Amino acid sequence: MTVTDNVQNQPQQLSRSPYLNQGTSTSSELRASLHLQGLSPAKVESLETQKKRALVQLRSKSTNLEKYVFLAWLRNTNVHLFYSLIGDQLEETLPLIYTPTVGTACQNYSSIYPFLAPPGQPDGLFLSINDLPNLKQIIQNYKPYPQDSGITPQIAVITDGSRILGLGDLGIDGMGIPVGKLQLYVAGAGIDPRRTIPITIDVGTNNEDKLNDEFYLGLKQKRVSDDKFFPFVDAVLETLTTVYPKMLIQFEDFSSEHAFQLLEKYQDRKFCFNDDIQGTGAVILAGFMNAIHVAGIPAKQHKILFYGSGSAAVGIAKQLVSYFVNDHGLSEDDAREMVWLVDSKGLVTLDRGDKLAEHKVYFARKDNHGTQFHDIAAVIEHVQPTVLLGLSSQSGAFSESVLRSMAKLNDRPIVFPLSNPASQAECTFEQAMVHTEGKVIFASGTAFPKYTDPKTGLISSPGQGNNMYIFPGLGLGGILAQPDHISDRLIYSAARACANALTPEERSQGLLYPVLPRIRQVSAEVAAAVVAESVAEGTARNKEAIAIVEKNNGEALLDFVSSNMWTTESADKDVTRLAAHL
Ligand SMILES: NC(=O)C1=CN([C@@H]2O[C@H](COP(=O)(O)OP(=O)(O)OC[C@H]3O[C@@H](n4cnc5c(N)ncnc54)[C@H](OP(=O)(O)O)[C@@H]3O)[C@@H](O)[C@H]2O)C=CC1
Ligand SMILES: CC(=O)C(=O)O
Ligand SMILES: [Mg+2]
């Protein structure tokens, strides 16, 4: 049955599709053809009026969590209006659908879940370990837009909820993260919302609060052991890629040890990447490339201290090593020597006496001559870093004295408190500005407000070093090039494109990342670089993309990418096309 048959057989179904429904802006003609008269007030409004009303309603909510619920409901009832509003009001709405509010939403997800979407409208795909025998059927059940049955999903973001932002194990309440990431794919890179699947696997939770919460909607059991976890993930991925063979899979917010093991296992076997390891690595490499120009110290002379040694920190460190090797001619050993890791026990050294997690061993220091450094002040004194990156989820760890030490050591200290959401950040932008007397070169994981110098009135803008500047473009580029795997080269090309995406004006303002309203342009440039690199490394399989890259015309490639981006106007056209068949 075609989409058109479907609609002709049940005309009112059109208005029930969140994708095709245009609410109060549905034309009189369409209302007549679909037998919708009387089902809403007769007035036909413009999209502009709809957006204006939605914005007034949004702003009338007193908490960000209420705003999150309001926006989720809007997305699940009127895709067109939702993404038009998000596109217009990116700076106001992104912190509501993504970090920081998505963190609060996840903490409360089971309580708000029934109010996010109308009955029958799924807000993500939940796969419990008890579903193992029926995975295929359950994956096929997920049809948020059944009226548009010809559209095949292309991107899945999958979590097990075990490390949601810096908030720890939230079990299935982590669903807000895949949902939020995929909204950024749509808003930030023009992926058709019908082609996205947010997935949360339920393998239990070790969070006692969740286990004791009567409203918690996940399995009330501790997380399963690895001998059950890995086969279940395997079954999910196999089934998913059997049902949707071209699906790109983004691993998100798995606890670090599992994250590394899953990436190692699947990166050459599936079309996939890990956002926390690779996406974060790429976005911070991009910010670092721009920051060292501002700092004015040659790349090779930097000393980079990571506060936190999990998936994000080690993912970044590995990409920095590639950068020093590829772009600055350092040996791998010399590049590795530029990195120091700190974890909850202090400086990561080979002779510390504990068994280091596998992902830390490569960067463990052996030049500490038997001395161990347990607190950050001692580590800073020992290392004398030019760069301090926070990936520890320890709020306030970059104290006044830490920031003052960084400013004493450096004319322009590079300090990135990257933990999310804002409540977990190692310091705020204001603290960094005040305690370094304005010298800091700054980026944070969640956006902080601008800072106004009380003496001069000078306003400074913080950078947002968040993987949202990478994964949407990387995913789009991957879908357009169609390689079998996402190679390290593709990730590296995404980082470089992100660094180069700054306009001369942004550069002259000392910004490290492009301003948020340009995220679609940035994603297009990242995607174009990924497509070009995939052709260069010989993995691209999309003949159209290969032919365009071979013309060696950057503008044509960007046009190709942009023309493949979904817009709310494309949704308009889908409605008009259907209406023409009625
Ligand atoms: N800006 C962005 O785009 C991104 C930000 N992030 C953020 O980065 C943070 C870390 O993520 P991830 O690496 O996956 O998480 P992990 O939980 O794996 O890593 C946290 C690390 O912090 C260390 N740590 C904990 N307490 C302390 C302490 N008191 N002093 C020093 N180190 C400490 C832990 O040590 P130990 O190993 O000993 O337990 C661990 O190495 C999160 O807040 C996440 O939201 C993540 C991805 C992207
Ligand atoms: C941004 C992100 O992916 C994280 O904090 O986990
Ligand atoms: Mg993440």
Side-chain angles (χ1 to χ4, degrees), residues 164-287:
I164 292 300
L165 306 175
L167 302 169
D169 179 355
L170 299 185
I172 61 119
D173 286 355
M175 178 56 104
I177 294 297
V179 169
K181 293 272 173 184
L182 285 162
Q183 289 174 65
L184 273 172
Y185 267 110
V186 179
I191 300 291
D192 186 326
R194 294 167 299 176
R195 296 194 185 275
T196 66
I197 310 189
I199 302 178
T200 296
I201 58 171
D202 190 353
V203 286
T205 176
N206 294 340
N207 181 327
E208 290 295 334
D209 289 344
K210 297 287 173 201
L211 292 173
N212 293 323
D213 177 358
E214 65 170 314
F215 295 129
Y216 179 61
L217 292 167
L219 290 176
K220 293 261 184 136
Q221 64 176 60
K222 294 269 185 195
R223 285 187 177 274
V224 298
S225 52
D226 284 1
D227 59 334
K228 296 205 172 68
F229 173 82
F230 285 108
F232 180 58
V233 174
D234 212 39
V236 168
L237 300 188
E238 283 309 318
T239 315
L240 193 61
T241 50
T242 304
V243 177
Y244 301 118
K246 288 187 174 174
M247 177 75 83
L248 173 60
I249 296 159
Q250 172 171 326
F251 292 105
E252 192 71 49
D253 289 9
F254 282 81
S255 61
S256 281
E257 215 139 313
H258 282 169
F260 282 108
Q261 288 182 63
L262 291 172
L263 183 60
E264 196 180 318
K265 182 165 177 191
Y266 293 111
Q267 67 181 342
D268 296 329
R269 281 178 45 196
K270 296 266 176 233
F271 187 30
C272 69
F273 68 98
N274 180 295
D275 186 38
D276 299 296
I277 300 172
Q278 297 170 293
T280 313
V283 83
I284 302 310
L285 171 56

Side-chain angles (χ1 to χ4, degrees), residues 96-215:
L96 298 171
I97 61 173
Y98 192 55
T99 180
T101 308
V102 72
T104 317
C106 288
Q107 287 171 310
N108 295 281
Y109 212 71
S110 284
S111 298
I112 61 175
Y113 178 75
F115 313 108
L116 301 177
Q121 184 61 33
D123 198 33
L125 173 63
F126 294 89
L127 299 172
S128 138
I129 189 139
N130 299 334
D131 295 330
L132 195 54
N134 308 312
L135 281 176
K136 187 169 179 197
Q137 181 58 56
I138 295 173
I139 289 170
Q140 286 172 335
N141 284 348
Y142 184 75
K143 290 196 180 79
Y145 314 111
Q147 292 78 6
D148 314 301
S149 48
I151 305 287
T152 318
Q154 288 175 314
I155 298 197
V157 176
I158 182 166
T159 190
D160 70 345
S162 53
R163 193 286 277 147
I164 292 300
L165 306 175
L167 302 169
D169 179 355
L170 299 185
I172 61 119
D173 286 355
M175 178 56 104
I177 294 297
V179 169
K181 293 272 173 184
L182 285 162
Q183 289 174 65
L184 273 172
Y185 267 110
V186 179
I191 300 291
D192 186 326
R194 294 167 299 176
R195 296 194 185 275
T196 66
I197 310 189
I199 302 178
T200 296
I201 58 171
D202 190 353
V203 286
T205 176
N206 294 340
N207 181 327
E208 290 295 334
D209 289 344
K210 297 287 173 201
L211 292 173
N212 293 323
D213 177 358
E214 65 170 314
F215 295 129

